[in-house]
Amino acid sequence: MKRRTVQDVMTERVVTVNEDAPFAEIAETMAEHRISGVPVLDAAGRVTGMVTEADLLRKQEYKDGGARRPVLDRIRRRGEAEAKAAAVDARGLMSAPVVSVAPNTSIAQAARLLNGHGFKALPVVDDDGRLAGIVARRDLLRVFQRSDAEIRDEIIDDVLITKLWQDPADVDVRVEEGVVHLTGRVEQKSLIPIIVRLTAATEGVVDVVHALGYDHDDTRPAPYPRA
């Protein structure tokens, strides 16, 4: 089965602001649409940055000039944070360059980017840098909404038959709430970790539990023939 990409789960209708959008307008837009961030576009529709709730909160955070912050903390955060606190429009508030993904980015790669940077969402851009959509954490979780029957069918058809040329009668596949249970016997012991790995990589699989047996242990070197 074709692996889903960001394009399959992203939101295409995206709330955006331009670089000259004032602070109050951005805050009102985010509150109205109940979103935590907005892409910032230039006149050509290219993504130049992102403004998030955290960026807007700098204004409140630094109202007292940071006077009561520890000295080392003030020094460390003074640059970018205080610049955003003083900003009055999207150009000054936004984080740039923006971290983005292409429409054909895999779900796994997008998830790694979100987790690695601590973001809640990423803009999706085409080859020209123009906005194509936005992908959020909740979008990536859709892969875990597949039915147990759909997951089981893919494991049998794609993993056992297509990739490994295994007789599905030899391996029983049972899926409960995304957890795959594998039982049965295969010819070679070395096949077992491969089956488990490919099963775990199937979209929607939460965990793999196996009790697979084997007929021949091909993981041990053959004994030398006696002279």
Side-chain angles (χ1 to χ4, degrees), residues 109-123:
Q109 185 177 354
R112 283 194 292 270
L113 278 173
L114 282 171
N115 286 333
H117 291 277
F119 296 153
K120 294 181 179 179
L122 291 171

Side-chain angles (χ1 to χ4, degrees), residues 2 4 11 14-15 19 38 48 76 98-99 142 148-149 154 159 165 170-171 178 187 202 208-209 219 224:
K2 176 182 177 292
R4 284 189 287 181
T11 299
V14 185
V15 177
E19 293 177 320
V38 287
T48 57
R76 180 173 60 86
V98 67
V99 177
R142 291 180 191 174
D148 290 342
E154 179 173 348
V159 175
W165 293 9
D170 294 337
V171 178
E187 183 177 354
T202 302
V208 180
V209 179
T219 63
Y224 288 104

Side-chain angles (χ1 to χ4, degrees), residues 156-171:
I156 293 174
D157 295 338
D158 188 53
V159 175
L160 296 180
I161 298 176
T162 304
K163 288 187 171 68
L164 300 178
W165 293 9
Q166 294 297 299
D167 186 344
D170 294 337
V171 178

